[in-house]
Amino acid sequence: MPRNEPTEVTDGWDGERSPRRRKAVRYGVPVAVAGVAAATIGLVPAFAGSGSPDLPKISAQNLIAKIAKSDVQQLSGTVRVTTDLGLPALPGAGGGAGGFGGEKGGDGASASPQNKLMELASGSHTLRVAVDGPDKQRVSIVDKAAEYSLVHRGNELWAYDSGSNTAVHSTAPGSRSGKQHRAPGGLPKDLKGATPQDLAKQALEAAGDTTSVTVDGTAKVAGRDAYQLLIKPKQAGSTVGSIRVAVDAANGVPLKFTLTPKSGGAAAVDVGYTNVDFAEPAASTFDFTPPKGAKVVDGNTERATAQREHGKDAPSRKELAKDMGGLNVIGKGWTSIATIKGEGSGLPSGKDEGKGAGGDAAKFLDSIGDKVNGSFGSGRFFSTRLVNALITDNGTVYVGAVDKQTLINAANAAK
């Protein structure tokens, strides 16, 4: 059978779709770099597989259509997530087993899906996943010393952290007429982006006229034959080298992602099934009863509190922009940059050296950031292998998966 040669998509794409990385991130300096890095994982995941099966030739457009038409409702398997963004070691940053059981300030904070998503932003993690239609899903993050699980069954959702022996229980609003229940907002979807299917959807939604998409050979993933979909930014300022999506040749399910930064080296993000089974999972997979002695938190009460504060489960982009002093997105495609307008003196400077906490902060920032200058004035540049940030002396933040000069150009243009 003929091997696949690269075939580029030349039409059929909507260049105006907004990448997921345009979503707001919380303003923290310099923690903003880490936050945006986590937020962009679902967007910027090349792949090193073994074995190249002979498969019928397929075009990139037809392979994308195959992914879109895939209607697999049942599967179970193990996913390995490895992330190496080159983030600096920040004070108080946790990882590994310690992150599962630590106290984090609220009744259910240690079992918060948001906290677990942040933990996936560094190191290697093993996930066990199971899906049986829209009403039954289970995702477990397995560590040497602890396990964290999200279990959705019907109108019930459990989030359980074995390290702190804490469980959060929520119910989803559902129809009494027997229609499908939808999981509560802000809970299971917070771990979206942790599986190859979620990453594929987000990466393809980000593709447009700034992107080259080709089929580049075949591979074996989790023992299954797969095509490799190669996604490359056309814009020079992007820090993303390429994305490879390994797509199951039989059913169109994405099996693996690996991100290679433009700078080269080891993969920045590698997410893929190590084993997968498309048979119906055992019904007991989706059963959950809190262990004896577990602290059980009412997630509905916490959600109601959030609704009273924000009027809904999560603040809107406009509300976030207001909270963060004016969030805006400039640029297009892979070189989009999130900006947060500052209103103040910004970061501590060298002038603060020797002045107690201000001097200590300045020394710490100097150790992880480079001083930069431009027509905008001056500021500091913070870099990872993927996401970079420029924070000006007046506190304005420019952040994105773009190189240093692109951030400086953006700041100069906005002065």
Side-chain angles (χ1 to χ4, degrees):
M1 304 293 286
R3 293 287 303 280
N4 285 282
E5 299 298 330
T7 54
E8 183 167 355
V9 171
T10 56
D11 55 18
W13 289 93
D14 179 4
E16 297 303 317
R17 289 180 178 177
S18 297
R20 188 181 181 97
R21 65 172 171 269
R22 293 177 180 231
K23 289 190 176 180
V25 294
R26 295 189 178 185
Y27 180 33
V29 179
V31 182
V33 178
V36 176
T40 56
I41 285 177
L43 192 248
V44 286
F47 168 79
S50 59
S52 299
D54 288 331
L55 296 171
K57 188 174 181 179
I58 188 171
S59 70
Q61 285 181 322
N62 286 342
L63 184 55
I64 293 165
K66 189 178 186 72
I67 297 172
K69 292 177 182 178
S70 180
D71 192 31
V72 172
Q73 296 286 315
Q74 300 169 325
L75 68 82
S76 58
T78 303
V79 177
R80 188 66 174 167
V81 178
T82 301
T83 311
D84 179 11
L85 299 177
L87 294 171
L90 298 175
F100 282 83
E103 291 298 328
K104 299 192 178 183
D107 287 342
S110 68
S112 163
Q114 292 89 341
N115 288 337
K116 302 309 146 186
L117 181 62
M118 286 300 297
E119 289 177 12
L120 296 180
S122 64
S124 296
H125 304 270
T126 298
L127 278 63
R128 290 201 297 262
V129 301
V131 178
D132 186 4
D135 276 359
K136 297 179 183 178
Q137 300 97 34
R138 183 175 189 133
V139 178
S140 297
I141 305 174
V142 184
D143 189 83
K144 291 180 181 179
E147 180 172 326
Y148 174 83
S149 294
L150 278 172
V151 184
H152 171 220
R153 181 166 187 165
N155 70 335
E156 287 194 292
L157 178 82
W158 286 95
Y160 176 68
D161 173 23
S162 69
S164 62
N165 200 21
T166 301
V168 177
H169 179 239
S170 302
T171 56
S175 169
R176 296 181 180 179
S177 62
K179 292 184 179 180
Q180 295 173 343
H181 295 89
R182 189 170 62 184
L187 287 169
K189 68 182 181 183
D190 285 284
L191 282 178
K192 291 277 186 181
T195 65
Q197 297 100 304
D198 298 322
L199 292 173
K201 180 179 179 181
Q202 293 164 18
L204 291 174
E205 284 178 350
D209 58 5
T210 62
T211 308
S212 166
V213 185
T214 61
V215 177
D216 189 24
T218 63
K220 277 278 189 182
V221 179
R224 298 184 65 87
D225 292 349
Y227 293 103
Q228 296 192 74
L229 191 65
L230 179 63
I231 302 173
K232 287 186 174 184
K234 293 180 179 179
Q235 295 163 298
S238 174
T239 57
V240 179
S242 65
I243 299 169
R244 286 185 190 266
V245 184
V247 182
D248 193 294
N251 57 29
V253 171
L255 299 174
K256 187 175 175 74
F257 276 80
T258 309
L259 164 70
T260 298
K262 184 181 290 184
S263 59
V269 179
D270 188 74
V271 180
Y273 285 98
T274 57
N275 64 73
V276 64
D277 187 345
F278 294 103
E280 179 182 358
S284 60
T285 302
F286 309 101
D287 293 337
F288 180 81
T289 301
K292 185 177 181 180
K295 179 178 182 179
V296 179
V297 177
D298 186 346
N300 294 327
T301 300
E302 291 192 349
R303 190 164 71 250
T305 300
Q307 287 176 328
R308 285 194 298 271
E309 292 177 351
H310 298 290
K312 46 183 168 283
D313 283 345
S316 68
R317 176 169 172 165
K318 179 181 288 187
E319 290 168 333
L320 284 169
K322 182 178 179 180
D323 290 342
M324 294 191 291
L327 178 86
N328 190 27
V329 176
I330 58 178
K332 178 182 179 182
W334 299 93
T335 55
S336 298
I337 298 172
T339 69
I340 305 168
K341 187 172 180 59
E343 295 180 359
S345 59
L347 300 174
S349 67
K351 297 178 182 179
D352 297 316
E353 292 183 8
K355 296 182 180 180
D360 292 340
K363 290 177 182 178
F364 172 70
L365 293 171
D366 283 342
S367 71
I368 62 173
D370 298 328
K371 293 181 180 179
V372 294
N373 296 286
S375 58
F376 66 87
S378 59
R380 280 190 179 89
F381 173 74
F382 300 93
S383 64
T384 73
R385 299 181 66 214
L386 184 62
V387 179
N388 297 322
L390 169 62
I391 306 173
T392 68
D393 284 349
N394 72 355
T396 298
V397 178
Y398 299 85
V399 63
V402 297
D403 59 28
K404 181 178 182 179
Q405 191 57 51
T406 301
L407 289 175
I408 292 175
N409 292 344
N412 287 337
K415 67 179 180 64

